[in-house]
Every structure is written in structure tokens, then in C-alpha cells.
Amino acid sequence: MTNQDENKEGIGGMINPRRYGIERVAYLLMRLSGLGLLAYFIGHIYETSTILKGQIGWNEFLALTQTNAGHAILAIVIAMCVFHTVNGIRVMLGHGGVGVGKPARPDYPYIPASQNIRHKMGIYSAIILAAIAMMYGLAVMFGE
Amino acid sequence: MAQTPSLAEESGSTPFSSSQSITLRIARYNPQHDSAKSFMEFQVPYEKWTTVLEAILEVKKHFDHSVAVRYSCRQATCGSCGMIINGKPRLACFTKISELNSNVITVEPMNNFPIIRDLAVKFERLFDTHHKIKPYLIRDDTEITTNTKEFLQSPEELEQYIQFSNCIKCGLCNSACPTMATDSSFVGPQALAQAYRYVADSRDKGKDNRLKIIDDSHGIWRCHFAGSCSQVCPKGVDPAMGIQLLRGYMLGFRS
């Protein structure tokens, strides 16, 4: 059965953050930051492997991170790292059933207990901390 | 003497006499001969209390009877009329036009379900995954056997699962789920929430059996707690909570 036959939303629907509130935005950011950190990890391994070419090769590659573009990429990496860590802790706790509320008879208008203020605060905290860390990184790298 | 209208008069009457109207865009698609989805637009009058389902039935009655839509109870109990209304999965009978705050209402078939025609989708996979998690009490004895009493349960024990027994299998949660959007084999939030419903039931003895079924690469581990399923549930089931509590059993946080 093809994707069209199954009427699946596909990746476009999966990454659409507009319809289901901040939780779906966090879901998207978690995936993007995870992929970004994976790309950084691969790049980092490649970068450190240049030491095999000797000190000149190492210094040449390291100089790339000292450019404006290099600083901007590192600042984004800092933000991704902080968001992924803080939101990851929230998600891990949720996955264990911590902070997702207790089962109870639902009353109209049926506000889901699992989408509670603690989790929303966790998501906003992750975003704010990531922004602060990124700004601090930018200040350190571009400050001189 | 007051006369009651005959059935013929009732069915022929126009239900809406309002001066307000909306543009209802209905997705049309027949997989037998259409290559892509198209939309037909209708101007439909509405009242403050008119539901989207009533507007669709108005279209069927007065403009185009060939629009395919599944419905039955008209009171959010049967779970038949799930569809995408202005981008979000909702029950058409439980969604008033006036609460959508839009002059254009777009209705489409639910995502992640194969289309039969227009707004009607196939539910086979949802029912298959529902059956897969054994949605019944598993134990050796039975209430029916002579010389046994009914299984007793305290109100506190009932509270543990009663919320999840409200599921009407409308499929809105599966339609909103981001994992279902890409993974055809994922068991889905509906079935996982029902697995929790029976695991949390103090009368049930099939916990290990069910946990084994959902402990699969396309099972519970594919849920990433996006929570969209809970946001669209029309009965307050909160599948996201059930799935995380269920995972708590698997990770050893609950017993």
C-alpha cells in the first residue's frame, strides 16, 4: 500500500508545529536539535581527526571555528545542546509517568491532565535557557 | 386542535433559516478513479448551534447527495464522524460552526487512515491494533461460573482506569499522532491507551501478556510524548497520560 493509499500525513505533517500547541513545537525542536547535534558530533569527530595530519592541519581546521560563521554555528550548537538536555529530562520524566497527572473521571471541556502547566513550564524553561546560553556564547565569542 | 407534522413534512423542511452563512469546502476523492483530492465549495446557512455534521447533511440534502460521510449517533458517542475540520481532527457532530470562528470551514478525511471515498475512511487497522492488545479481562476464573461472585473493586481501583474506558474508537488520536504520520506499523495511541485501561484494571491478570505485545520496535517505544492525541480526544481519555503510565510499568516505576 503506498503512502497516498494510506492517506498518511508524512514528514510534512509530522514536523508541522502549528496545530497542537507548545508540546508539538517542543516535539519538533527536540527532533531538529537531535539531528543538529548528531551532525555536530560527526563534524567534531572529523575535526579532531585532523590532528593526524600534524599540528599545521589541526591549526588550519581550528581556524575555521574562529570565523564569524564558525562562531554563529557554535552558538547554535550551544542552544541545541541546552534545549535537548533540559527538554530531554522533561520527556524522560514524562516517559516514566512522572508529572503526567493522575487518572480521574474527565469533565467537560476535557483539558488533558498530561498537558499540564508543569510540562509547559519545562518546555518554556528549555527554550529560555537555550536562548540565554546561546546569547552568553555569542557574547563570549564576539565580545572581544 | 394542533397538528403534528408528518414524517414527510419533517424530512422535507429546511432546518436553518438564519441569514448567516459559511463557505463549506468538502474534500472529494474517490480512490477508484481520482488521482488527487479536490474540493467543492457550498454556501451553507447556519445557526449558533449548527454543527459541522449538520452542515454537511444540509449539503447532501440540498446541493449534492453524493458526498460520502459516515455518521450515526450525532452526539459524540458512536465515534463515526471523525474528520479533519479546519486542519485539526475533530468529531463533526461535536464541533459547532460558531466555535470555529471562521467564514470558511474545510472538511477533509482523517489523516493516517485509508480513504474509502470523500470523508469516509477505513477503520480496519484501528480495530486490528485494538484487538491486538487484547481489550478484555484476562484471568482464569469468570463471573459467569456458578458458585462465584462478581469481581469486587473499590472506587479507588475504578478511578485508575475509568477515564480510559471512555474511548469511542473514533480514531482522532491516531489521526493527530506525529508517529502515525510516518510509521505504518506503529500500534497507535488508541490501542496503547486501551492497553493501559486493562493493565490498570485490578480485575485483570493479563498485564505481562499485554506488556509483551506492546514491547516492540513499533510499539510503545515509538511514542515520543508529543501529546497531540490527548488534545484532540473528544471524550477526555488523555491517551498520552495512559501511554506514559503504561511505560512506567515497563520501566519499573510502577508495579
Side-chain angles (χ1 to χ4, degrees), chain A residues 4 7-8 10 20 24 113-114, chain B residues 35 110 112 181 228 231 238:
Chain A
Q4 191 181 351
N7 190 31
K8 291 210 165 295
Y20 303 106
R24 195 67 175 253
S114 65
Chain B
S35 58
M110 278 197 292
N112 312 329
S228 309
Q231 291 180 25
D238 202 347

Side-chain angles (χ1 to χ4, degrees), chain B residues 114-174:
Chain B
I115 300 172
I116 299 172
R117 194 159 65 85
D118 301 340
L119 304 172
V121 295
K122 290 181 186 169
F123 272 87
E124 279 86 347
R125 250 207 91 230
L126 181 130
F127 294 143
D128 284 348
T129 51
H130 182 68
H131 286 142
K132 189 179 168 186
I133 56 95
K134 300 181 189 287
Y136 41 80
L137 294 182
I138 299 174
R139 53 188 293 157
D140 295 332
D141 53 347
T142 165
E143 289 174 312
I144 303 166
T145 312
T146 324
N147 301 328
T148 56
K149 291 181 186 175
E150 66 273 21
F151 303 139
L152 295 178
Q153 197 164 50
S154 69
E156 291 75 24
E157 287 171 330
L158 181 70
E159 288 282 310
Q160 291 300 311
Y161 73 86
I162 190 71
Q163 173 177 11
F164 302 93
S165 63
N166 283 353
C167 177
I168 56 173
K169 295 152 203 76
C170 59
L172 297 189
C173 52
N174 282 12

Side-chain angles (χ1 to χ4, degrees), chain A residues 1 3-11 13-14 19-24 27 31 90-98 100-106 108 110-115 119-120, chain B residues 29 35 87-89 94 110-115 158-160 162-163 166 176 178 180-182 184 196 223-228 230-232 234-236 238 240-241 244-245 247-248 253:
Chain A
M1 196 178 260
N3 233 23
Q4 191 181 351
D5 292 337
E6 290 193 76
N7 190 31
K8 291 210 165 295
E9 273 198 295
I11 291 175
M14 187 187 88
R19 295 170 295 175
Y20 303 106
I22 191 69
E23 289 83 2
R24 195 67 175 253
Y27 171 85
R31 254 113 222 102
R90 176 192 74 86
V91 172
M92 278 196 292
L93 289 171
H95 280 182
V98 178
V100 295
K102 288 182 179 173
R105 287 174 196 272
Y108 190 80
Y110 304 138
I111 296 164
S114 65
Q115 317 289 288
H119 277 280
K120 289 186 197 300
Chain B
Y29 176 65
S35 58
K88 280 181 83 169
F94 202 47
M110 278 197 292
N111 296 315
N112 312 329
F113 288 86
I115 300 172
L158 181 70
E159 288 282 310
Q160 291 300 311
I162 190 71
Q163 173 177 11
N166 283 353
M180 293 291 291
T182 52
S184 304
Y196 175 76
C223 170
H224 301 296
F225 195 23
S228 309
S230 297
Q231 291 180 25
V232 299
K235 303 300 283 184
D238 202 347
M241 181 209 282
Q244 309 325 311
L245 294 177
R247 192 154 25 200
F253 294 146

Side-chain angles (χ1 to χ4, degrees), chain B residues 27-63:
Chain B
R28 306 301 304 267
Y29 176 65
N30 186 341
Q32 299 290 325
H33 52 73
D34 292 340
S35 58
K37 202 162 36 177
S38 61
F39 286 89
M40 288 182 77
E41 294 188 0
F42 304 92
Q43 287 295 319
V44 183
Y46 74 100
E47 304 284 357
K48 197 170 72 177
W49 51 82
T50 306
T51 64
V52 173
L53 179 62
E54 287 167 338
I56 294 168
L57 296 179
E58 178 81 353
V59 167
K60 279 179 74 71
K61 191 193 265 183
H62 296 292
F63 301 110

Side-chain angles (χ1 to χ4, degrees), chain B residues 175-196:
Chain B
S175 182
C177 174
T179 305
M180 293 291 291
T182 52
D183 184 356
S184 304
S185 306
F186 179 46
V187 69
Q190 188 278 333
L192 289 172
Q194 290 312 292
Y196 175 76

Side-chain angles (χ1 to χ4, degrees), chain B residues 69-85:
Chain B
V69 57
R70 182 194 282 122
Y71 70 99
S72 182
C73 73
R74 309 187 194 203
Q75 54 179 8
T77 300
C78 71
S80 301
C81 64
M83 58 186 75
I84 304 290
I85 300 172

